[in-house]
Amino acid sequence: MVAGNARYVRYIIIAVFTLAVFYFVSSSKYDTVTIPSGLGKTGQPAQKGKTDESRSQPQQPIDKAKGGSDNTVTTPKPQKGDDAKSPLALTPEDPNWDAKLVSPAPGPRMNATFVTLARNSDVWDIARSIRQVEDRFNRRYNYDWVFLNDKEFDDTFIKITTSLVSGKTHYGKIAEEHWSFPEWIDQDKAKKVREDMAERKIIYGDSVSYRHMCRFESGFFFRQPLMMNYEYYWRVEPSIELYCDIHYDPFRVMHEGGKKYSFVLSLYEYAETIKTLWDSTKKFMKNHPEHLAADNAMQFLSDDGGETYNNCHFWSNFEVGNLNWLRSKAYIDFFESLDRDGGFFYERWGDAPVHSIAAGLMLNKSEIHFFNDIAYWHVPFTHCPTGEKTRLALRCHCNPSENFDWKGYSCTSRFFDVTGQTKPAGWEDQKD
Ligand SMILES: Nc1nc2c(ncn2[C@@H]2O[C@H](COP(=O)(O)OP(=O)(O)O)[C@@H](O)[C@H]2O)c(=O)[nH]1
Ligand SMILES: [Mg+2]
């Protein structure tokens, strides 16, 4: 009897011990990346080579957790402890600075994606861009990449880009109504404008597709079904260069700093292409004063309090921005008002001045960010960070003498003045 009891006690002890071991193993946490729930990746890093099945028309929204009830999408709050363990470190002096660029990068992920509009023929040029973005940044973050095209993407494009992106890739064909003439456009008038611009040798002046592209980037990319579940985007074009390591997550800088729009290069627009854009903008401001931000950056856009446009704009081939802002009533009202006026076709309005005017008028100054650390080239301009210390710390390979920021044709100096920011040491040596 006593021997029998001892056996039962032994069984109980073994069972308790087994349960304790099981509990310990299942609840232990590795000190690596924590992907917030609700990003639709089932908590796993993106699987290499996985593409979205919904590449053919019509695009389907990616099955991700939906955001707020007012059609905005949010980045889930980081899980407890994430921020404390991995606070953003922006300079080598910050204690948490990621000097070794470990992979995968610690810290939370934002609800964000890269986005590229491209033709199948752009495949090798976008391959170059992707390789730079991955090597300098995304290999440690594995953010998704959305590719959009007015035609069906071919197998080569999908195969090459999927092999290069470390996150998940999605391919979407743009709906006809987002890449065509609206019915109120007078085709003959538009044609005459193209012929006239061709004669005057205005760049892209005779191109129909370029105009569709500019209208699409102004009013539709951010509401494509594949984009609807993301909160932030980073636009990448074919044949760009990134010259420095990116040690922190720019999406996180946007999120934690309350930023809605960002840039690396700014300049003056070719006035002949936007002759009546400011008249249309003034009409919009009169009709919708409620959309103007209290502390807006009008002084960046105008030297006479809004009477005329000085043609300053952020160069939109690079953008990191908030999609909820572009999907807001304010922005959509602005785009629709411009679209009705017809200047995408009767002139050759670019998406860069359109985005910039919107940001300058409808955002507070503090919501627009200049990324000095992201060194960038798109033909023919270079942004190379000012300050040798920064360039060495970020292992940059750009030639500082090619930095456009402080040259006479750049508007970046004006941006610093308007927003009351101190220009980086050494900026004066780089003036013309
Ligand atoms: N799918 C598609 N993409 C286009 C077309 N035209 C331009 N793009 C893309 O739109 C972006 C801007 O065009 P780009 O030729 O670089 O213009 P630029 O930077 O103003 O000289 C790039 O990402 C191009 O790949 C087009 O007709 N179809
Ligand atoms: Mg380009």
Side-chain angles (χ1 to χ4, degrees):
M1 207 50 201
V2 171
N5 278 345
R7 200 167 64 226
Y8 286 130
V9 169
R10 218 166 38 239
Y11 288 156
I12 290 167
I13 289 171
I14 290 169
V16 168
F17 178 74
T18 309
L19 279 173
V21 168
F22 181 72
Y23 174 78
F24 176 76
V25 169
S26 64
S27 65
S28 64
K29 205 163 172 251
Y30 295 107
D31 191 19
T32 54
V33 174
T34 308
I35 298 176
S37 58
L39 287 188
K41 284 180 184 165
T42 58
Q44 296 297 318
Q47 288 177 26
K48 249 203 101 45
K50 271 221 140 187
T51 63
D52 180 52
E53 314 77 46
S54 60
R55 70 190 214 213
S56 54
Q57 182 72 303
Q59 293 177 62
Q60 298 294 327
I62 305 160
D63 183 19
K64 289 193 173 189
K66 286 278 181 293
S69 54
D70 59 350
N71 212 8
T72 57
V73 177
T74 54
T75 292
K77 288 250 178 305
Q79 285 171 7
K80 223 172 142 205
D82 273 347
D83 278 344
K85 265 193 295 178
S86 307
L88 254 180
L90 302 178
T91 70
E93 287 73 45
D94 292 334
N96 211 46
W97 176 250
D98 186 359
K100 293 204 176 108
L101 300 181
V102 290
S103 183
R109 296 291 184 273
M110 302 296 103
N111 192 0
T113 184
F114 290 93
V115 61
T116 292
L117 172 71
R119 295 154 288 215
N120 287 311
S121 57
D122 291 321
V123 62
W124 298 112
D125 293 331
I126 194 61
R128 240 176 79 195
S129 302
I130 296 171
R131 186 72 219 198
Q132 308 247 357
V133 172
E134 286 291 335
D135 287 353
R136 291 299 199 169
F137 171 73
N138 201 42
R139 68 184 171 83
R140 298 182 302 113
Y141 288 87
N142 313 133
Y143 279 110
D144 295 357
W145 206 305
V146 172
F147 296 92
L148 300 169
N149 189 352
D150 57 307
K151 309 255 165 37
E152 198 81 50
F153 278 115
D154 63 26
D155 290 343
T156 304
F157 190 99
I158 293 171
K159 192 167 60 183
I160 300 300
T161 51
T162 301
S163 77
L164 291 169
V165 174
S166 63
K168 212 174 172 198
T169 48
H170 303 282
Y171 300 86
K173 183 168 178 248
I174 298 160
E176 174 101 33
E177 65 266 29
H178 296 164
W179 196 279
S180 50
F181 292 93
E183 31 89 12
W184 58 84
I185 294 298
D186 176 340
Q187 294 284 341
D188 288 339
K189 185 174 163 186
K191 188 159 175 267
K192 285 204 184 79
V193 169
R194 293 197 300 274
E195 286 164 0
D196 172 60
M197 284 197 175
E199 238 167 67
R200 291 193 288 140
K201 305 241 179 316
I202 291 175
I203 184 168
Y204 300 122
D206 61 343
S207 172
V208 174
S209 67
Y210 194 83
R211 286 179 170 79
H212 289 319
M213 182 276 286
C214 291
R215 179 171 177 261
F216 175 80
E217 293 287 20
S218 298
F220 301 109
F221 85 89
F222 48 84
R223 32 182 174 158
Q224 295 300 293
L226 289 175
M227 298 296 288
M228 287 308 286
N229 294 311
Y230 294 104
E231 185 179 4
Y232 295 97
Y233 72 101
W234 179 335
R235 176 169 163 184
V236 177
E237 280 204 0
S239 300
I240 57 111
E241 306 268 350
L242 285 187
Y243 292 117
C244 305
D245 287 337
I246 301 174
H247 285 248
Y248 55 78
D249 183 348
F251 294 124
R252 221 179 137 192
V253 170
M254 302 293 285
H255 190 65
E256 293 181 18
K259 309 285 181 188
K260 302 278 170 56
Y261 192 79
S262 68
F263 72 100
V264 290
L265 284 161
S266 70
L267 67 158
Y268 292 94
E269 180 57 305
Y270 188 1
E272 286 299 303
T273 64
I274 51 157
K275 276 183 169 166
T276 66
L277 177 57
W278 195 252
D279 290 337
S280 284
T281 300
K282 286 205 283 190
K283 186 172 95 184
F284 166 78
M285 287 193 279
K286 201 158 162 244
N287 290 339
H288 290 284
E290 76 279 11
H291 289 329
L292 304 181
D295 187 28
N296 63 49
M298 172 64 97
Q299 287 167 285
F300 177 73
L301 304 169
S302 175
D303 301 343
D304 50 19
E307 195 45 43
T308 58
Y309 181 35
N310 61 21
N311 299 335
C312 274
H313 66 288
F314 308 118
W315 221 20
S316 61
N317 47 63
F318 169 97
E319 283 177 331
V320 180
N322 185 305
L323 292 159
N324 291 332
W325 171 58
L326 292 173
R327 291 188 285 246
S328 69
K329 178 156 170 35
Y331 185 86
I332 299 288
D333 281 350
F334 179 59
F335 169 71
E336 286 179 353
S337 172
L338 296 186
D339 200 26
R340 278 272 153 195
D341 290 342
F344 291 108
F345 300 103
Y346 299 145
E347 296 179 5
R348 207 220 63 199
W349 293 351
D351 51 281
V354 171
H355 287 184
S356 304
I357 291 173
L361 299 180
M362 299 191 284
L363 295 178
N364 288 317
K365 286 176 200 151
S366 62
E367 294 174 311
I368 306 174
H369 186 69
F370 170 63
F371 275 112
N372 186 45
D373 292 338
I374 302 183
Y376 177 82
W377 178 84
H378 176 294
V379 65
F381 299 118
T382 302
H383 162 66
C384 185
T386 308
E388 186 178 53
K389 209 168 142 215
T390 304
R391 290 194 301 273
L392 293 176
L394 308 184
R395 301 193 313 150
C396 303
H397 70 281
C398 50
N399 179 345
S401 71
E402 286 168 11
N403 182 30
F404 184 64
D405 297 358
W406 318 114
K407 308 274 188 239
Y409 206 61
S410 165
C411 294
T412 299
S413 181
R414 174 189 296 267
F415 178 80
F416 271 69
D417 294 341
V418 167
T419 53
Q421 296 182 62
T422 310
K423 290 168 199 154
W427 75 275
E428 275 169 317
D429 304 334
Q430 293 190 345
K431 287 202 289 190
D432 297 301

